[in-house]
Amino acid sequence: MIIKIAIIGPDEFCNRAEKIVAKRNDIELDLYRYREPREAAGLIHTMQPCDVILFSGSLSYLHATDSLSNLSIPALYMKQDESAVAITLLHIALQNELDFNKVSIDIREKGHIDHILKDLNETVKYPFVHLLREDELIDEITMFHKNLSQNGKTDLAITSVHAVYEQLKLHNIPTQKIIDPESAILRNIEYAKHQALLKKSNSAQTAVGVVNALKKSSKVEEFVKNLTALLRAQFSELNGEYTIYTTMGNIEFSLTNSEFLTLFQSMHNEVQIAFGCGESIMDAKENAHFAMNFNKKNNDHSFYVLDTNKKLLGPFPHSDGSIQLKLHDPVLVEMAKKTTLSSANISKLMTFSQSRQSKQFTTNDLSLHLNVSRRTAERTLKKLVECDYAKIVGEEMAYRQGRPRSLYELKFPIYY
C-alpha cells in the first residue's frame, strides 16, 4: 500500500524530504511550499487527496490549526529536538571560531540549549535566546536578531524559521538556519506513514448505528434512509428499532459534516441515535446499545459513539470529548475495585480535575460535572474519602445563612 504524505514547508525542507524518500515505493509525497509559515493555512485549501499531512515545523502547523479542524486525516509537524540544535552548533564551531555568547538563537524550548550546555559541563557561555511563541510574527523574530547584531552584541544569528533566515540575509546579517538532521526528517516521515496506516485501520472497523423512535411518525423511516445515505450504509428494522451498518471512518467523517448534523437536529424529540464500533458486527451492535444508555441520562438532543477500546465519545454535537469506560492502568483498576465506582465515573473524575483551574471543589461542583444529583455526588465523594482517594481541605460559606460547604481535593493520579 502506498501512503501519500502532504509535506507543507519551505523549499529547502520540501527538497530534502523529496530526496530522502526518492527510492521508496511505499511513500508518495505531495509538496506544498510556502515562503512564510502563515501561508500554511491557505495551502490546506489547495491540497489534493492524501493520507496524512506533515508540516516542517510547529509555527506553520499552528497557523493552519483552524483549517485542519474539519479534516479527517492525521496532521503532524516536525518537532525540534536537541539533536538539531547540537548539530547546528557543531557545524558553526567547525566553520567559525565564535563565542556562543556572541550568538543569538530562536528556538521552541530553552531546555534544548540548557541540556547541551550542561553536557559540556557548562564551559560555554549562554547565547542570546528567544523562545518562539505560537502567535508570533516573522518580523518580531527578525527584529530580535537584527537589533542584537546592529548593536554589536552578536556576530551570528541562528534561526528555526526559514522566513526569518531569508529576511536576515536581506539585511546582510550573518545567519544560520537550524539544521534538521536527515535521520530526524526520515523518522518523522515514517511516523506520519504509521499514523496514516493506523487511521486507515481504525476507519475500516465495523460500526453499527441504532435509531430508536420516540414517537410514531412517518418521518423516522425517511430520516433513517437519509442518514444511511450520508453514512454510505445499509439498514434493517425490527420492532421499531433501526440498525445501520457502516464503518468507523464513515461515522468520523459524518461528525464533521454539517449536512449530517443538520439532519440529526431536525429530528429533535423524534429519535434517539447512538453508534458503536467493534471487531465484529455483534461487538459493534453491543457497543451501540451501551452508548444508547447514556442518551437516556441526557435531557438534550445529543448522541454518543462507543469505540472498540470502550472510549465513549460525545455527546455530539455539543461536545467532542471522550470518557474511558475501560481501565488499563493498575492504579486505576485498583481504585475501581476499592471504591466500586465504574470506569466511566473514574474517567469523568479525571476530566473534571483536569478541566478545573482550582483543584479544590464542592459537592455541587462535582454534581454539575457528572450531571447527577447532589446526593449521588455526596455518595461518590464519601467513597473516595473513605478509600483515601480524596480529602476534605476546608470549608466555604456560600451564603450568609446555612451550613458551610466542604471543600475537597482528589488524591489519585489523573494524567493518563
Side-chain angles (χ1 to χ4, degrees):
M1 177 186 295
I2 297 177
I3 297 298
K4 182 175 285 190
I5 302 175
I7 300 287
I8 298 181
D11 279 336
E12 180 189 15
F13 183 84
C14 289
N15 293 339
R16 290 188 68 195
E18 191 173 34
K19 288 180 181 179
I20 288 171
V21 300
K23 297 182 180 180
R24 297 282 292 267
N25 56 16
D26 58 335
I27 294 174
E28 180 181 340
L29 300 185
D30 275 350
L31 305 176
Y32 298 87
R33 306 167 189 268
Y34 61 69
R35 289 172 298 176
E36 291 193 13
R38 73 179 76 178
E39 297 172 5
L43 292 175
I44 296 294
H45 303 296
T46 69
M47 282 175 40
Q48 297 181 11
C50 61
D51 299 308
V52 61
I53 304 171
L54 178 61
F55 291 83
S56 62
S58 58
L59 283 182
S60 54
Y61 174 84
L62 291 166
H63 279 294
T65 300
D66 290 341
S67 300
L68 295 171
S69 60
N70 292 326
L71 298 186
S72 58
I73 58 174
L76 319 166
Y77 63 89
M78 280 276 298
K79 294 184 178 180
Q80 190 179 81
D81 59 18
E82 290 175 27
S83 63
V85 179
I87 287 176
T88 304
L89 296 179
L90 176 62
H91 173 77
I92 293 170
L94 293 174
Q95 299 294 323
N96 309 279
E97 292 185 3
L98 291 175
D99 291 332
F100 283 126
N101 63 328
K102 296 279 286 182
V103 169
S104 61
I105 183 170
D106 60 71
I107 51 176
R108 290 293 299 175
E109 296 181 30
K110 186 171 180 290
H112 294 160
I113 288 287
D114 293 338
H115 294 159
I116 292 169
L117 296 186
K118 188 174 182 180
D119 289 339
L120 295 173
N121 295 320
E122 300 180 351
T123 56
V124 178
K125 292 184 179 180
Y126 265 80
F128 293 91
V129 179
H130 176 79
L131 297 181
L132 296 171
R133 303 190 310 272
E134 294 182 1
D135 57 348
E136 197 159 22
L137 298 176
I138 297 302
D139 289 344
E140 293 175 343
I141 308 170
T142 304
M143 286 304 298
F144 161 75
H145 295 290
K146 183 179 176 182
N147 289 338
L148 288 169
S149 178
Q150 291 181 341
N151 290 330
K153 294 182 178 180
T154 58
D155 297 325
L156 180 70
I158 303 174
T159 179
S160 304
V161 185
H162 188 79
V164 173
Y165 172 75
E166 294 294 339
Q167 286 199 22
L168 291 173
K169 283 173 60 179
L170 289 175
H171 290 96
N172 295 317
I173 294 174
T175 182
Q176 168 69 51
K177 190 176 181 304
I178 291 284
I179 300 171
D180 289 314
E182 183 173 310
S183 59
I185 298 176
L186 180 59
R187 184 168 61 250
N188 278 269
I189 290 175
E190 287 287 355
Y191 181 67
K193 172 192 169 183
H194 289 306
Q195 289 299 108
L197 289 171
L198 179 62
K199 179 68 175 180
K200 285 177 177 289
S201 175
N202 291 338
S203 296
Q205 287 183 330
T206 300
V208 167
V210 175
V211 179
N212 288 335
L214 297 177
K215 60 178 80 170
K216 288 186 178 181
S217 170
S218 58
K219 292 172 59 179
V220 175
E221 185 161 337
E222 181 184 355
F223 165 76
V224 172
K225 288 179 179 178
N226 291 332
L227 185 63
T228 302
L230 289 173
L231 290 169
R232 290 177 285 181
Q234 295 180 330
F235 78 91
S236 63
E237 185 270 336
L238 180 64
N239 299 327
E241 180 178 277
Y242 295 86
T243 304
I244 299 172
Y245 303 95
T246 183
T247 66
M248 191 62 180
N250 289 338
I251 292 174
E252 288 175 340
F253 176 76
S254 295
L255 293 176
T256 63
N257 185 344
S258 59
E259 187 178 357
F260 169 84
L261 296 175
T262 300
L263 176 64
F264 171 69
Q265 295 285 29
S266 72
M267 295 299 286
H268 185 64
N269 293 330
E270 299 278 348
V271 298
Q272 283 187 330
I273 70 172
F275 296 96
C277 180
E279 295 181 2
S280 67
I281 291 177
M282 292 297 293
D283 289 340
K285 192 170 183 179
E286 181 180 331
N287 284 342
H289 280 110
F290 197 91
M292 181 68 79
N293 291 331
F294 284 84
N295 283 343
K296 298 171 183 177
K297 299 178 181 179
N298 291 340
N299 296 322
D300 56 352
H301 188 52
S302 58
F303 65 93
Y304 289 91
V305 179
L306 184 60
D307 71 11
T308 307
N309 298 316
K310 298 297 183 184
K311 181 180 287 185
L312 187 70
L313 310 175
F316 298 101
H318 311 303
S319 169
D320 58 358
S322 65
I323 298 171
Q324 185 61 256
L325 300 184
K326 184 168 66 175
L327 300 179
H328 301 283
D329 188 271
V331 174
L332 300 182
V333 171
E334 180 67 17
M335 179 181 174
K337 288 180 180 179
K338 286 184 177 180
T339 61
T340 68
L341 293 174
S342 67
S343 302
N345 279 334
I346 291 175
S347 181
K348 286 181 179 180
L349 286 169
M350 292 164 65
T351 57
F352 169 69
S353 184
Q354 291 170 4
S355 65
R356 291 178 57 80
Q357 294 298 317
S358 171
K359 296 310 171 190
Q360 298 179 355
F361 62 92
T362 65
T363 304
N364 189 54
D365 294 329
L366 185 61
S367 67
L368 289 173
H369 180 84
L370 297 181
N371 194 25
V372 297
S373 68
R374 182 183 176 88
R375 180 166 293 184
T376 300
E378 286 174 346
R379 286 198 296 267
T380 299
L381 282 169
K382 186 173 184 292
K383 291 179 180 180
L384 292 171
V385 171
E386 288 175 348
C387 297
D388 200 31
Y389 290 116
K391 62 180 179 180
I392 299 174
V393 294
E395 293 180 336
E396 72 170 14
M397 289 294 295
Y399 309 101
R400 292 184 179 179
Q401 296 181 344
R403 296 172 59 187
R405 299 187 298 190
S406 295
L407 288 173
Y408 295 87
E409 277 187 7
L410 295 177
K411 292 178 59 181
F412 65 93
I414 63 169
Y415 300 105
Y416 284 91

